[in-house]
Amino acid sequence: MRNLDFSSWHALLSTVVGLGLITLIMVGVRLLAMHTVQKRRERENRQINERLRTLIAAYKTLGGSFTGDLSVDPTHLRDLRRVEGESHETIAQRSDRSRRMRDAVEAALSDIILLGTEEQVALAARAATELSEGRPTHTAALVVSLRDFIRKVLDLEAVPANLAIPQQGPTRISATRGKGEGKGEGGGKGAGGGMGGMGAGMGGMGSHASLDNDQDAHR
């Protein structure tokens, strides 16, 4: 303020313009810094949301069951065919159900290895190793780690230590329907299309016949 010159209108105008330029530059720098910080926060929030969404989906896949067989069966169809006393239909149904569950669990483990914490990555790697070696795999410890982490990130209260929660296992997936039903439905549609074509042909013949009758009447 000591260097400001108010001795003339010209000096006053120059001083005001200089102060305005300096203020404008400072405001621009501040807005740019705020915009950069806001963009960084938005990017971090998107990353956190995507990570949470993926881990929550993995938690639901690995811990969606409290009863029944809580392990992942790594057996393939070729191994099931060696079992005696079971029909091919039962073997195919068991294989399809276990295969779908195994595929879902493998995808969830892959996501956890990519986005999980150090503890979760170690547990997921151990489960993936058991699956690759053909051993039944339990995911209860990994489910507990995922649950605690997700609740902590969402600022939820921790699960009480004295609360008894049953062990959780992979979500049971129902087997798909047989191909015979789809073929039957397709055959019915094909037959309906054929009948529709025959009806259209008969309609065309009727229109030609009426046209000939009109021409004879005019003659």
Side-chain angles (χ1 to χ4, degrees):
M1 297 294 295
R2 290 179 300 178
N3 296 327
L4 299 179
D5 187 5
F6 298 103
S7 60
S8 63
W9 286 104
H10 180 72
L12 178 62
L13 183 61
S14 300
T15 303
V16 171
V17 171
L19 289 175
L21 287 177
I22 294 174
T23 304
L24 183 62
I25 292 173
M26 294 177 62
V27 171
V29 171
R30 182 175 181 181
L31 289 177
L32 181 61
M34 291 176 61
H35 180 71
T36 303
V37 172
Q38 183 179 4
K39 286 294 183 181
R40 183 182 302 172
R41 287 180 180 176
E42 290 178 355
R43 184 173 62 252
E44 292 176 354
N45 289 336
R46 285 196 301 268
Q47 293 175 353
I48 293 174
N49 291 336
E50 185 64 27
R51 183 184 187 187
L52 270 180
R53 189 181 299 111
T54 303
L55 293 180
I56 289 174
Y59 171 82
K60 292 180 179 179
T61 300
L62 299 178
S65 178
F66 290 93
T67 60
D69 189 4
L70 301 181
S71 63
V72 184
D73 185 10
T75 311
H76 292 269
L77 180 60
R78 61 178 179 271
D79 301 323
L80 287 175
R81 285 174 177 171
R82 300 173 186 173
V83 180
E84 298 180 357
E86 291 187 357
S87 63
H88 294 287
E89 221 175 279
T90 306
I91 291 176
Q93 187 176 5
R94 282 182 52 195
S95 174
D96 182 71
R97 184 181 294 109
S98 62
R99 177 186 60 80
R100 287 158 60 87
M101 181 185 294
R102 184 176 63 247
D103 292 346
V105 169
E106 287 179 353
L109 293 177
S110 177
D111 291 338
I112 294 172
I113 292 175
L114 178 63
L115 298 175
T117 62
E118 183 178 357
E119 177 187 6
Q120 295 164 6
V121 169
L123 293 173
R126 186 176 66 183
T129 302
E130 293 176 353
L131 281 177
S132 63
E133 293 176 353
R135 293 181 292 167
T137 304
H138 294 270
T139 59
L142 181 55
V143 168
V144 173
S145 177
L146 286 171
R147 182 178 62 217
D148 294 341
F149 174 77
I150 293 171
R151 293 184 67 89
K152 181 178 179 181
V153 173
L154 295 177
D155 292 331
L156 300 175
E157 298 83 1
V159 177
N162 58 353
L163 181 62
I165 299 178
Q167 287 193 351
Q168 296 173 248
T171 302
R172 289 188 293 272
I173 302 175
S174 60
T176 57
R177 295 189 305 171
K179 296 181 179 180
E181 295 180 11
K183 291 182 179 179
E185 294 176 358
K189 292 180 180 179
M195 293 298 292
M198 292 175 62
M202 294 297 292
M205 292 175 62
S207 62
H208 284 298
S210 62
L211 181 60
D212 293 340
N213 292 336
D214 293 339
Q215 291 178 355
D216 292 340
H218 285 297
R219 290 176 184 175

